[in-house]
Amino acid sequence: MPRFVSAKPDSRLIPLPWGTPLAEWPTEHLVALPRGISRHVVRFIRVGSSVYAAKEIIEHLALHEYRLLHDLMRMGTPSVEPIGVITKRVAADGTELDPILITRHLQFSLPYRSLFAAGVKQDTVSRLVDAMVVLLARLHVIGFLWGDVSLSNTLFRRDAGSFAAYLVDAETGELHDVLTAGQRENDLVVARTNLFGDFCDLQAGGMLEESLDPLHLVDMVETRYRELWAELTGVEEFSGSELGRIESRVRRLNALGFDVAELDIQTSDDASYIRIQPKVVDAGHHSRRLLRLTGLDTEENQARRLLNDLDTFRVRTGQQHLDEAIVAHEWLTDVFAPVIQIVPNELKAKREPAQLFHEVLDYRWYQSQRENRDVPLTEATHGYVNDVLRKLPDEAMSADALAPVEGRHLVDPYDPSQGFIEAGDQEPPYDPWEAAAKDAEPDTGGGFFDVAALRAQAAAKEASKKDGKVKRSVAAKIRAEADPAD
Ligand SMILES: Nc1ncnc2c1ncn2[C@@H]1O[C@H](COP(=O)(O)OP(=O)(O)O)[C@@H](O)[C@H]1O
Ligand SMILES: [Mg+2]
């Protein structure tokens, strides 16, 4: 009898066919969604309106990953949410099956292959790299050694004009109090190797713009990581007359989206010399402020954009003297909510509300520039819905990304790792009767008994029993030998 380990049990999971190897699950339980390359059998399963990712994996790793993901969630690090582990799976014939780790499908997430499939610009790659670097630094700040940094183990969500990266595979992870420099270097080496492979792979598939060089991209990851790390944790020393530098360090960190929870300030005895070092930094400076003010839970850059709009609203309505929380409530009901309400229900799966609002603001800005007037938000929202949103693919569950790329189709839509059907496979299956009929004509058409041709036909029939493709070439070879003029 299968056993469920879960902090958040979903009883709808209980009747699923746990006694069947995941790779053989009936498709009625599955959803075809894009995903990265994986070592294990991974499927997306649907129960009611929820979608979960299921991964078949040996017991100690399943439990290890489940617990680590749990810790990461608790510490507010962007990662997929663990739901449970199903152990003690036994097939009908008594064979023991590996446990299954269940995580919640990360809504609006895009595996990198879907992002690249449409061809990305240099600028976009640079934003993806930044998102990846921020994720790695955030994990290192809390003492998480990833061990398997790669594009396939990362999911991306839109975050205003940028991306936010989420960790998806924690199987190799370790949580420490603090990471040593050596441990962080180790993650960087792994990141370089894996990302170089991922980028080369994209290049080979024609999905990387020609001007982008894999080696240059991994160098960029490393440089940016080192810069960010230095800003987050580095020691700064200055003279006692430059006290403003304490505040500017905090502001710079805020601008990067981090809050300083603890700043270590040391002064020399005569206060002529000061040394500062951030001790504890927490990511999500803007998203926390927005959450506190409005209850909206968004990505960092979306929060930045929404807060800017809120600040503008405050000035425009002359409410600077009022408490920020009161104005925020008014902004939420009078500005934000009406925009979201305009979007027809059938288009809501295309973008998260905060992302949508950000895109409407962009749309309004461009329209106002073009038409040289202040376009009202409602008008811009209608324009955005009709001109932009209707044409976009769904991203809530971006199955659209599985649509044939340049006419290519997946071998198994529930298992994108099997790749695409190759051109050769699309030929109709070999039909020995039809082939024999075709072969018969030229070979016997000479009006005499052609032994070589008959032998060729016999060989062709024999081989057709084994394998259509092999047989065809064998027959062709025998025929060519028998009748060189053919
Ligand atoms: N919760 C999830 N939400 C969205 N995608 C997921 C989720 N879990 C896994 N995936 C997708 O499945 C792929 C493989 O999962 P992963 O845990 O990396 O398996 P493996 O350990 O075999 O590498 C990922 O690259 C990701 O695209
Ligand atoms: Mg993986």
Side-chain angles (χ1 to χ4, degrees):
M1 221 206 309
R3 194 170 149 205
F4 290 70
V5 178
S6 175
K8 274 194 200 155
D10 180 341
S11 57
R12 296 169 303 174
L13 286 169
I14 293 175
L16 291 179
W18 302 111
T20 308
L22 189 53
E24 293 163 22
W25 273 34
T27 53
E28 64 191 87
H29 300 298
L30 306 181
V31 204
L33 290 171
R35 61 174 165 78
I37 298 159
S38 66
R39 236 166 303 170
H40 302 95
V41 176
V42 176
R43 293 287 184 274
F44 293 113
I45 55 180
R46 187 197 295 277
V47 281
S49 57
S50 310
V51 174
Y52 296 119
K55 161 154 102 171
E56 205 163 59
I57 177 173
I58 57 170
E59 183 156 341
H60 81 270
L61 286 179
L63 294 170
H64 171 74
E65 187 165 5
Y66 174 77
R67 292 185 183 129
L68 267 185
L69 287 174
H70 208 80
D71 289 339
L72 290 176
M73 288 298 286
R74 196 168 40 77
M75 289 187 273
T77 317
S79 55
V80 294
E81 180 191 349
I83 296 296
V85 178
I86 292 97
T87 58
K88 308 269 180 290
R89 298 171 59 217
V90 183
D93 64 1
T95 350
E96 285 185 15
L97 301 173
D98 278 339
I100 288 185
L101 167 73
I102 306 276
T103 54
R104 189 183 301 285
H105 175 259
L106 184 65
Q107 273 214 323
F108 295 98
S109 67
L110 302 156
Y112 75 102
R113 292 202 144 256
S114 316
L115 281 168
F116 280 85
V120 293
K121 292 182 297 224
Q122 180 149 12
D123 189 36
T124 314
V125 177
S126 166
R127 286 170 196 180
L128 289 173
V129 163
D130 278 345
M132 183 99 207
V133 165
V134 170
L135 174 64
L136 192 58
R138 281 184 72 170
L139 292 169
H140 287 174
V141 160
I142 59 154
F144 185 85
L145 183 68
W146 194 344
D148 196 10
V149 192
S150 74
L151 286 179
S152 272
N153 288 339
T154 313
L155 289 169
F156 296 93
R157 290 172 92 177
R158 289 186 196 284
D159 178 12
S162 307
F163 293 96
Y166 281 68
L167 171 142
V168 64
D169 189 341
E171 190 188 314
T172 49
E174 290 170 22
L175 198 55
H176 299 264
D177 283 342
V178 216
L179 293 186
T180 63
Q183 285 171 318
R184 290 191 301 104
E185 286 304 317
N186 196 55
D187 252 4
L188 271 184
V189 171
V190 176
R192 278 193 73 101
T193 316
N194 286 348
L195 295 175
F196 183 74
D198 291 336
F199 287 129
C200 285
D201 205 34
L202 286 169
Q203 194 178 43
M207 288 192 262
L208 203 62
E209 219 180 55
E210 268 177 33
S211 60
L212 296 168
D213 166 37
L215 196 60
H216 171 73
L217 288 173
V218 293
D219 283 343
M220 189 158 96
V221 171
E222 189 173 335
T223 320
R224 293 197 182 170
Y225 170 85
R226 292 195 191 288
E227 283 167 6
L228 179 60
W229 190 257
E231 191 63 54
L232 293 181
T233 63
V235 178
E236 213 174 317
E237 291 171 343
F238 40 87
S239 88
S241 59
E242 296 175 279
L243 281 178
R245 285 182 62 173
I246 300 179
E247 204 187 321
S248 50
R249 177 70 178 267
V250 175
R251 280 177 186 274
R252 282 204 313 274
L253 283 167
N254 288 167
L256 285 169
F258 288 82
D259 271 329
V260 182
E262 214 179 299
L263 186 67
D264 185 19
I265 307 177
Q266 293 177 21
T267 49
S268 59
D269 288 341
D270 59 354
S272 64
Y273 155 89
I274 292 175
R275 183 178 184 276
I276 58 169
Q277 183 179 25
K279 277 283 173 219
V280 187
V281 289
D282 295 321
H285 171 73
H286 299 95
S287 53
R288 262 197 307 276
R289 183 176 156 221
L290 186 71
L291 184 67
R292 194 181 69 235
L293 288 172
T294 63
L296 293 173
D297 191 2
T298 66
E299 300 291 348
E300 187 63 11
N301 291 308
Q302 292 167 342
R304 213 183 285 250
R305 186 77 196 267
L306 267 53
L307 285 167
N308 275 341
D309 195 62
L310 167 61
D311 290 340
T312 322
F313 173 79
R314 197 170 178 196
V315 175
R316 206 176 50 234
T317 51
Q319 304 192 78
Q320 292 95 316
H321 58 285
L322 274 183
D323 184 61
E324 196 181 35
I326 296 171
V327 186
H329 181 73
E330 204 181 307
W331 171 84
L332 191 66
T333 47
D334 295 357
V335 182
F336 184 82
V339 166
I340 307 303
Q341 273 155 14
I342 289 175
V343 178
N345 277 340
E346 72 273 17
L347 300 181
K348 289 216 160 97
K350 297 195 180 229
R351 287 289 187 264
E352 274 181 302
Q355 182 65 20
L356 205 133
F357 189 79
H358 155 79
E359 291 182 15
V360 168
L361 289 184
D362 266 3
Y363 183 92
R364 180 177 65 165
W365 190 85
Y366 284 114
Q367 192 185 359
S368 304
Q369 291 293 307
R370 239 186 0 253
E371 300 176 8
N372 206 11
R373 65 183 175 105
D374 250 348
V375 177
L377 198 55
T378 319
E379 184 188 334
T381 309
H382 284 289
Y384 167 82
V385 166
N386 293 322
D387 301 348
V388 183
L389 198 60
R390 280 192 196 286
K391 295 170 193 152
L392 291 174
D394 270 11
E395 278 186 2
M397 305 273 175
S398 48
D400 283 31
L402 284 178
V405 179
E406 286 162 17
R408 301 199 310 160
H409 294 265
L410 289 166
V411 174
D412 179 354
Y414 303 102
D415 184 10
S417 62
Q418 288 185 33
F420 294 97
I421 297 171
E422 292 303 327
D425 299 343
Q426 280 170 328
E427 288 180 34
Y430 180 74
D431 179 348
W433 295 106
E434 203 178 281
K438 266 193 216 141
D439 286 348
E441 246 188 294
D443 291 340
T444 52
F448 56 89
F449 206 60
D450 185 341
V451 178
L454 284 176
R455 241 198 257 142
Q457 271 184 32
K461 262 186 212 156
E462 195 51 43
S464 80
K465 287 180 199 155
K466 291 182 195 147
D467 178 302
K469 265 193 261 170
V470 177
K471 183 217 60 46
R472 202 168 349 181
S473 59
V474 169
K477 202 166 160 225
I478 295 176
R479 277 191 51 208
E481 278 165 10
D483 187 2
D486 202 352

